[in-house]
Short mmCIF file of all heavy atoms in Angstrom, two decimals:
data_model
loop_
_atom_site.label_atom_id
_atom_site.label_comp_id
_atom_site.label_asym_id
_atom_site.label_seq_id
_atom_site.Cartn_x
_atom_site.Cartn_y
_atom_site.Cartn_z
N LEU A 2 0.87 -1.17 0.00
CA LEU A 2 0.00 0.00 0.00
C LEU A 2 0.92 1.22 0.00
O LEU A 2 1.76 1.36 0.88
CB LEU A 2 -0.88 0.02 1.25
CG LEU A 2 -1.80 -1.18 1.45
CD1 LEU A 2 -2.42 -1.15 2.85
CD2 LEU A 2 -2.90 -1.17 0.41
N LEU A 3 0.78 2.07 -0.99
CA LEU A 3 1.67 3.22 -1.10
C LEU A 3 1.59 4.09 0.13
O LEU A 3 0.52 4.34 0.67
CB LEU A 3 1.33 4.02 -2.34
CG LEU A 3 1.54 3.31 -3.68
CD1 LEU A 3 1.11 4.21 -4.82
CD2 LEU A 3 2.99 2.87 -3.85
N ARG A 4 2.76 4.55 0.58
CA ARG A 4 2.84 5.40 1.76
C ARG A 4 3.84 6.51 1.48
O ARG A 4 4.91 6.26 0.91
CB ARG A 4 3.30 4.57 2.97
CG ARG A 4 3.28 5.31 4.28
CD ARG A 4 3.57 4.37 5.44
NE ARG A 4 4.93 3.87 5.44
CZ ARG A 4 5.96 4.54 5.95
NH1 ARG A 4 5.80 5.72 6.48
NH2 ARG A 4 7.17 4.03 5.91
N ALA A 5 3.51 7.71 1.86
CA ALA A 5 4.41 8.85 1.70
C ALA A 5 4.71 9.42 3.07
O ALA A 5 3.88 9.35 3.98
CB ALA A 5 3.77 9.92 0.83
N SER A 6 5.89 9.97 3.24
CA SER A 6 6.25 10.58 4.52
C SER A 6 7.24 11.70 4.27
O SER A 6 8.12 11.58 3.41
CB SER A 6 6.85 9.53 5.45
OG SER A 6 7.26 10.13 6.65
N PHE A 7 7.12 12.74 5.05
CA PHE A 7 8.09 13.82 4.98
C PHE A 7 9.34 13.48 5.79
O PHE A 7 10.36 14.12 5.67
CB PHE A 7 7.48 15.12 5.50
CG PHE A 7 6.41 15.66 4.61
CD1 PHE A 7 5.08 15.60 4.97
CD2 PHE A 7 6.73 16.23 3.39
CE1 PHE A 7 4.09 16.08 4.14
CE2 PHE A 7 5.75 16.72 2.55
CZ PHE A 7 4.42 16.65 2.93
N ASP A 8 9.24 12.46 6.63
CA ASP A 8 10.35 12.04 7.48
C ASP A 8 11.10 10.91 6.77
O ASP A 8 10.58 9.83 6.57
CB ASP A 8 9.81 11.55 8.82
CG ASP A 8 10.91 11.19 9.80
OD1 ASP A 8 12.09 11.42 9.49
OD2 ASP A 8 10.58 10.67 10.88
N SER A 9 12.34 11.15 6.39
CA SER A 9 13.11 10.14 5.66
C SER A 9 14.07 9.38 6.57
O SER A 9 14.79 8.49 6.11
CB SER A 9 13.88 10.79 4.51
OG SER A 9 14.78 11.74 5.03
N VAL A 10 14.07 9.68 7.86
CA VAL A 10 14.99 9.04 8.80
C VAL A 10 14.39 7.74 9.33
O VAL A 10 13.20 7.65 9.60
CB VAL A 10 15.29 10.00 9.98
CG1 VAL A 10 16.17 9.32 11.02
CG2 VAL A 10 15.95 11.27 9.48
N CYS A 11 15.25 6.75 9.47
CA CYS A 11 14.84 5.49 10.09
C CYS A 11 15.80 5.21 11.24
O CYS A 11 17.01 5.29 11.07
CB CYS A 11 14.89 4.35 9.06
SG CYS A 11 14.23 2.79 9.67
N ASN A 12 15.25 4.92 12.44
CA ASN A 12 16.12 4.61 13.58
C ASN A 12 16.00 3.13 13.95
O ASN A 12 15.26 2.37 13.33
CB ASN A 12 15.81 5.53 14.77
CG ASN A 12 14.42 5.36 15.34
OD1 ASN A 12 13.70 4.41 15.02
ND2 ASN A 12 14.03 6.27 16.21
N ARG A 13 16.73 2.73 14.99
CA ARG A 13 16.76 1.32 15.40
C ARG A 13 15.38 0.84 15.81
O ARG A 13 14.97 -0.27 15.48
CB ARG A 13 17.76 1.15 16.55
CG ARG A 13 18.06 -0.29 16.90
CD ARG A 13 19.21 -0.39 17.88
NE ARG A 13 18.82 -0.15 19.24
CZ ARG A 13 18.28 -1.07 20.05
NH1 ARG A 13 18.07 -2.28 19.60
NH2 ARG A 13 17.97 -0.77 21.29
N PHE A 14 14.64 1.67 16.53
CA PHE A 14 13.27 1.29 16.92
C PHE A 14 12.38 1.19 15.69
O PHE A 14 11.45 0.40 15.64
CB PHE A 14 12.69 2.30 17.91
CG PHE A 14 13.08 2.05 19.34
CD1 PHE A 14 14.13 1.22 19.68
CD2 PHE A 14 12.38 2.66 20.35
CE1 PHE A 14 14.47 0.99 21.01
CE2 PHE A 14 12.70 2.45 21.68
CZ PHE A 14 13.75 1.61 22.00
N GLY A 15 12.64 2.02 14.68
CA GLY A 15 11.88 1.94 13.43
C GLY A 15 12.06 0.59 12.75
O GLY A 15 11.09 0.00 12.26
N ILE A 16 13.29 0.10 12.74
CA ILE A 16 13.56 -1.23 12.16
C ILE A 16 12.77 -2.30 12.92
O ILE A 16 12.16 -3.19 12.32
CB ILE A 16 15.07 -1.54 12.19
CG1 ILE A 16 15.85 -0.53 11.38
CG2 ILE A 16 15.35 -2.98 11.74
CD1 ILE A 16 15.59 -0.56 9.90
N LYS A 17 12.77 -2.20 14.26
CA LYS A 17 12.04 -3.17 15.07
C LYS A 17 10.54 -3.10 14.79
O LYS A 17 9.87 -4.12 14.69
CB LYS A 17 12.31 -2.94 16.55
CG LYS A 17 13.70 -3.32 16.98
CD LYS A 17 13.89 -3.04 18.45
CE LYS A 17 14.87 -4.04 19.00
NZ LYS A 17 14.54 -4.58 20.27
N LEU A 18 10.02 -1.88 14.66
CA LEU A 18 8.60 -1.71 14.37
C LEU A 18 8.26 -2.30 13.01
O LEU A 18 7.24 -2.99 12.85
CB LEU A 18 8.19 -0.24 14.43
CG LEU A 18 6.75 0.05 14.06
CD1 LEU A 18 5.78 -0.66 15.01
CD2 LEU A 18 6.49 1.54 14.05
N LEU A 19 9.09 -2.07 12.02
CA LEU A 19 8.84 -2.62 10.69
C LEU A 19 8.85 -4.14 10.73
O LEU A 19 8.05 -4.79 10.04
CB LEU A 19 9.87 -2.09 9.69
CG LEU A 19 9.76 -0.59 9.38
CD1 LEU A 19 10.96 -0.12 8.58
CD2 LEU A 19 8.47 -0.28 8.66
N ASP A 20 9.73 -4.73 11.53
CA ASP A 20 9.74 -6.18 11.68
C ASP A 20 8.43 -6.69 12.29
O ASP A 20 7.88 -7.70 11.85
CB ASP A 20 10.92 -6.63 12.54
CG ASP A 20 12.26 -6.52 11.83
OD1 ASP A 20 12.26 -6.39 10.58
OD2 ASP A 20 13.30 -6.55 12.52
N VAL A 21 7.92 -5.97 13.29
CA VAL A 21 6.63 -6.34 13.89
C VAL A 21 5.52 -6.24 12.84
O VAL A 21 4.69 -7.14 12.71
CB VAL A 21 6.29 -5.45 15.11
CG1 VAL A 21 4.86 -5.67 15.58
CG2 VAL A 21 7.28 -5.70 16.25
N CYS A 22 5.52 -5.17 12.07
CA CYS A 22 4.50 -5.00 11.02
C CYS A 22 4.54 -6.15 10.02
O CYS A 22 3.50 -6.71 9.66
CB CYS A 22 4.70 -3.68 10.29
SG CYS A 22 4.26 -2.23 11.26
N LYS A 23 5.73 -6.51 9.59
CA LYS A 23 5.87 -7.57 8.59
C LYS A 23 5.44 -8.92 9.13
O LYS A 23 4.85 -9.73 8.42
CB LYS A 23 7.30 -7.63 8.08
CG LYS A 23 7.67 -6.43 7.23
CD LYS A 23 9.14 -6.42 6.88
CE LYS A 23 9.49 -5.14 6.12
NZ LYS A 23 10.93 -5.02 5.90
N SER A 24 5.71 -9.18 10.39
CA SER A 24 5.40 -10.50 10.95
C SER A 24 3.95 -10.63 11.39
O SER A 24 3.47 -11.75 11.58
CB SER A 24 6.33 -10.82 12.12
OG SER A 24 6.05 -10.00 13.22
N THR A 25 3.24 -9.53 11.53
CA THR A 25 1.86 -9.58 12.01
C THR A 25 0.84 -9.05 11.01
O THR A 25 -0.35 -9.01 11.31
CB THR A 25 1.70 -8.77 13.32
OG1 THR A 25 2.05 -7.41 13.05
CG2 THR A 25 2.56 -9.34 14.44
N CYS A 26 1.30 -8.63 9.83
CA CYS A 26 0.43 -8.03 8.80
C CYS A 26 -0.23 -6.74 9.27
O CYS A 26 -1.32 -6.39 8.82
CB CYS A 26 -0.63 -9.03 8.32
SG CYS A 26 0.05 -10.39 7.39
#
């Protein structure tokens, strides 16, 4: 699903959150 953001920074917690999103849909 296309997503746009003005924030281009990714931090360590962001990586963890993305992993949670991917594993739980």
Side-chain angles (χ1 to χ4, degrees):
L2 300 169
L3 296 178
R4 186 173 68 83
S6 177
F7 292 107
D8 184 6
S9 61
V10 176
C11 186
N12 64 11
R13 190 171 80 83
F14 276 16
I16 299 294
K17 289 179 149 222
L18 177 61
L19 292 170
D20 287 344
V21 170
C22 289
K23 290 173 185 174
S24 69
T25 60
C26 292

